[in-house]
Amino acid sequence: IRKGATGIEAEFDTYLKGVDGKGFYERLPGGYMKPVDLESDIASTPGLDVVTTLDVNFQDIAESALRGQVSKTQARYGSVVLMEIETGEVKAIANLTRHTDAGGQVYFSDDINYAVTSGTDPGSTFKLASMLAMLEKSDLKPTDHAVTCNGVIRHNNVGFTCSHSHGDLTVQEVFEKSCNIGIYALMKRTFGFGRSDDFYAYLQKFYLDKPTGFQLRGEPAPLIKNAASKTFSSTTIPWMAIGYESRITPMQMLAFYNAVANGGYWVQPLLVKEIRSGNT
């Protein structure tokens, strides 16, 4: 049996492959094999069973929904992870890359585990971390007036924009409407843009600067900038606060969201929950 290159087959190959046996046989005419010395034979040892947390029904739904969305949006790739809140058990994980063959026919392949191995700018999903840091640091209340969003402002002669003008927004509405300019204004008021030490300290508390330690290989460390980073600049904090100038995998971001849903308790994502003999 060939060792798997990725996934469970690669990570747990030591347990799955078992141990080959050995025996001595005499080849007879007609292709028959005659045992020579049974006492010297070494019996093979079967591999162990790896028990995952996956739910086949959820997995089918996730793969089907992902295929539909990647096709509809013509995305280059997509990823879906479904995780149980209290236990961290992954119930479904699907990754698809969109390809086009020489004849122009679109097809999909599960060739890269984007959820685990591919860090990228998290975009607006990061605003939850920014908002939580600001609420913990300051005396902001959800009903406080936060900003009057006109759709665009200038930061150090660089345009900082929203999808459209939101008008007057409270702190809660800034998050509900995912207002970039609202996050900018609140971050400037709470942390300032000169250094990132205080903000970075909160991101550390949220475990956003560390790998999850997931059971499949290839997980990179997140890129969360601080004042010591070589590429830290006057634009880093405002852009990082809305999900740019950083790099986080889907699994790492999911673990953070899961901690929020879990009442503030961070749990490690889990895919394999048991390794056992097939006879038990």
Side-chain angles (χ1 to χ4, degrees), residues 25-218:
Y25 293 81
E26 178 183 358
R27 186 184 297 275
L28 301 176
Y32 295 102
M33 303 294 289
K34 175 184 176 182
V36 174
D37 184 3
L38 293 177
E39 292 183 358
S40 64
D41 286 356
I42 300 174
S44 61
T45 303
L48 300 174
D49 290 341
V50 171
V51 182
T52 74
T53 61
L54 296 173
D55 182 297
V56 292
N57 295 317
F58 289 149
Q59 184 69 29
D60 286 345
I61 294 170
E63 291 182 5
S64 177
L66 178 61
R67 186 178 300 272
Q69 285 301 308
V70 173
S71 178
K72 178 181 177 181
T73 61
Q74 297 189 356
R76 185 165 60 88
Y77 66 87
S79 180
V80 172
V81 184
L82 176 64
M83 191 164 81
E84 191 171 71
I85 292 173
E86 292 185 355
T87 65
E89 292 188 359
V90 173
K91 297 301 181 182
I93 181 168
N95 301 275
L96 287 177
T97 306
R98 186 177 184 272
H99 299 282
T100 304
D101 63 21
Q105 186 70 29
V106 173
Y107 68 97
F108 303 93
S109 64
D110 183 6
D111 51 1
I112 298 175
N113 192 346
Y114 297 104
V116 176
T117 67
S118 298
T120 186
D121 289 326
S124 290
T125 60
F126 198 80
K127 290 174 183 174
L128 177 59
S130 299
M131 185 63 75
L132 286 178
M134 289 187 288
L135 290 172
E136 291 197 14
K137 164 94 173 159
S138 69
D139 59 356
L140 284 173
K141 297 180 178 59
T143 55
D144 289 346
H145 178 266
V147 72
T148 300
C149 172
N150 295 318
V152 61
I153 58 174
R154 304 290 295 179
H155 175 83
N156 291 0
N157 294 320
V158 179
F160 194 94
T161 63
C162 266
S163 57
H164 60 280
S165 175
H166 291 109
D168 289 331
L169 296 177
T170 64
V171 172
Q172 179 172 329
E173 289 170 335
V174 164
F175 183 69
E176 290 175 346
K177 298 180 184 297
S178 192
C179 176
N180 290 344
I181 292 174
I183 295 291
Y184 177 98
L186 292 172
M187 284 293 295
K188 184 176 182 180
R189 185 191 314 174
T190 306
F191 292 104
F193 298 149
R195 293 180 61 84
S196 64
D197 291 354
D198 289 351
F199 183 44
Y200 182 70
Y202 280 102
L203 301 182
Q204 286 181 303
K205 287 175 60 178
F206 301 157
Y207 291 103
L208 281 169
D209 66 323
K210 305 173 185 67
T212 65
F214 194 57
Q215 293 164 307
L216 300 186
R217 64 184 59 184

Side-chain angles (χ1 to χ4, degrees), residues 216-236:
L216 300 186
R217 64 184 59 184
E219 180 185 16
L223 172 62
I224 301 291
K225 293 183 182 180
N226 59 27
S229 302
K230 292 181 179 179
T231 56
F232 183 86
S233 70
S234 61
T235 65
T236 295

Side-chain angles (χ1 to χ4, degrees), residues 12-18 45-51 274-280:
F12 292 88
D13 181 69
T14 301
Y15 301 99
L16 291 167
K17 67 182 181 181
T45 303
L48 300 174
D49 290 341
V50 171
V51 182
E274 187 180 356
I275 298 173
R276 66 189 184 194
S277 170
N279 297 325
T280 59

